[in-house]
Amino acid sequence: MTKSATVLAVADEGGDRQYLGAREKNNARAGLIRVGWIGTVIAVSIDIFSASAAVAIGLWWSVSEQLPPSSWIVALFVPFVVVLFAVQSLYRHKLNRNFIDEVGPIETNVALAAILVLGITTLAQGPHLSGSVVSKTWLCAAILMPISRFLHSRIQKRLRLNRHFMAPTLIIGSGEVANRIVERLQARPEYGLKPIGMLDNEASDARSAANPDIPIIGPPESVGAAIERTGARAVLIAFSQVRDDSLTRVVRVAHRHKARVWVVPRMFDAVAERATVDHLGGLPLMSLPSADPHGWQFNAKHVIDRVAAALGLLVISPLLISLVVLVRLSSPGPIFFRQDRIGRDGRVFQCLKFRTMRATETSDAEFELKSRSAPGGVEGDDRRTRIGKIMRSTSLDELPQLINVLKGEMSLVGPRPERPQFVEFFEIQIHRYGERHRVKAGITGWAQVHGLRGQTSIADRVEWDNYYIENWSLALDLKILLLTVGAVVRGAD
């Protein structure tokens, strides 16, 4: 095939030929431009606009004061903010960046920019008036900049959910991990990566039943040609039969073509977010800190849980009394639904909920578990009462679990507890399922705020739950509680 050819022939594992035509190629290159520098320009422009608005409002707010001629120095706040944001990588594309994660860095850098401006204005005109103007600008920026960032993130997420502004992505490898990457990217377009092809020496058996629409377009050594012809802007290296020295060359070639590269580490199950890289001479060593569910940090978490649960029960007691009355009036039967669940270290406890169904509850034996999916939602016949439907859609039926937290059986945040019979089944079928019982079960969890509620993939839940345990912190708990508010607003079955 000549260099002037307008198609790139690719072969899948069955030997069939597929083609990326000139139109797809041009679309990929257009995506390259959009995803590349325009996204950064938009983010910087939004920050410049909101910071400039903060300066303008700060000066207008101080118009009644006699401002010296050197007040224009306050305008330096705008470039200071942009530079600090760039230094803190707030303009860099991160797969798992959430607006909640950005609030802290935004406020910190806004404050630092204000301090820098305050120092310069103090040196230029003395302390007179400088503190007033800068503090008002600081206050305005502390409000406006997070709001503009939030709106930008929501619009960006909406565009990505509609498959716009996606970066074409190549996957190195075609095995189970590579297929998991493809499935995750296809299911979650908010990551901004669109898988367009795999590079591997030979198709694996794992690929035959999964992702047949993502072709193998050549060996890893052809990554340079593949990037040029497909316009790929990202390369994800999964497990492959290719030698490590060959993969090193793949990384260097991808970088020469300005593509971002991510690598799945060999021991990915043990690599947490707090992992760091040390060096022994020129040899990198990855340090893997461990989470200790029996250490003092988790003990502190449990104390905070109980205090928060007690305060929560006190604050929402009028709501709880109202729900008790509504459940009693909805249909004959008990107010609370009690069910055995498995908690920390495999201990059984009775999980409390408001009863949402008529007294003839569907039994576990009548419910047929879907393959590799967690039980949940409406199991069997729908016997929900009218108030029960409302409570389930708003998660109000879960409020009695604050009593479980107060008793020390559960936590506010943690893996959702499961019934004993399902636990026995999942521990046999699902890799690392039992490891989620290292900590107390939670009313809400990392998996739930990422949409894994009801009858969703149990393997995905386990992955998210173990991620939470390995990366636990009070800040992560707070983040999950904030994300839970959004999940509740969106509603559930």
Side-chain angles (χ1 to χ4, degrees), residues 160-305:
R160 286 178 174 174
L161 288 174
N162 292 323
R163 311 291 174 173
H164 299 302
F165 293 91
M166 305 289 285
T169 304
L170 296 174
I171 313 296
I172 307 297
S174 61
E176 181 179 350
V177 175
N179 282 295
R180 191 188 303 184
I181 291 173
V182 172
E183 292 170 358
R184 190 65 48 81
L185 294 180
Q186 290 177 330
R188 295 187 175 274
E190 60 265 31
Y191 286 133
L193 302 180
K194 178 184 178 181
I196 58 173
M198 294 180 172
L199 297 173
D200 206 359
N201 287 332
E202 57 183 20
S204 70
D205 294 337
R207 184 178 176 273
S208 59
N211 307 312
D213 54 328
I214 305 298
I216 295 181
I217 61 178
E221 292 78 7
S222 65
V223 63
I227 290 174
E228 289 180 353
R229 295 176 181 178
T230 63
R233 295 306 303 144
V235 175
L236 272 64
I237 300 179
F239 296 171
S240 173
Q241 299 296 325
V242 181
R243 290 168 55 90
D244 289 346
D245 56 348
S246 297
L247 291 177
T248 300
R249 287 193 291 271
V250 167
V251 173
R252 290 171 179 166
V253 170
H255 282 160
R256 282 202 300 270
H257 286 81
K258 310 301 182 184
R260 293 199 64 189
V261 179
W262 286 271
V263 179
V264 179
R266 293 288 179 184
M267 298 172 60
F268 63 90
D269 283 342
V271 178
E273 199 169 80
R274 290 191 294 269
T276 58
V277 177
D278 295 318
H279 287 84
L280 186 62
L283 182 67
L285 299 177
M286 183 173 288
S287 174
L288 305 179
S290 62
D292 182 9
H294 296 279
W296 68 268
Q297 297 96 331
F298 275 87
N299 290 332
K301 164 184 167 67
H302 299 154
V303 171
I304 295 173
D305 282 336

Side-chain angles (χ1 to χ4, degrees), residues 10 20 108 111 126 153 208 373 383 440 462 481 485 492:
V10 296
L20 294 177
T108 299
S153 68
S208 59
S373 294
R383 298 191 179 96
K440 291 182 180 180
V462 170
L481 291 173
V485 176

Side-chain angles (χ1 to χ4, degrees), residues 477-488:
D477 274 4
L478 179 60
K479 176 180 176 179
I480 292 172
L481 291 173
L482 293 174
L483 290 173
T484 299
V485 176
V488 170

Side-chain angles (χ1 to χ4, degrees), residues 85-103:
F85 279 15
V87 171
Q88 293 295 319
S89 300
L90 290 179
Y91 297 119
R92 186 179 182 183
H93 177 206
K94 291 186 66 176
L95 295 182
N96 58 348
R97 174 174 286 161
N98 186 287
F99 171 72
I100 295 176
D101 298 324
E102 293 187 339
V103 173

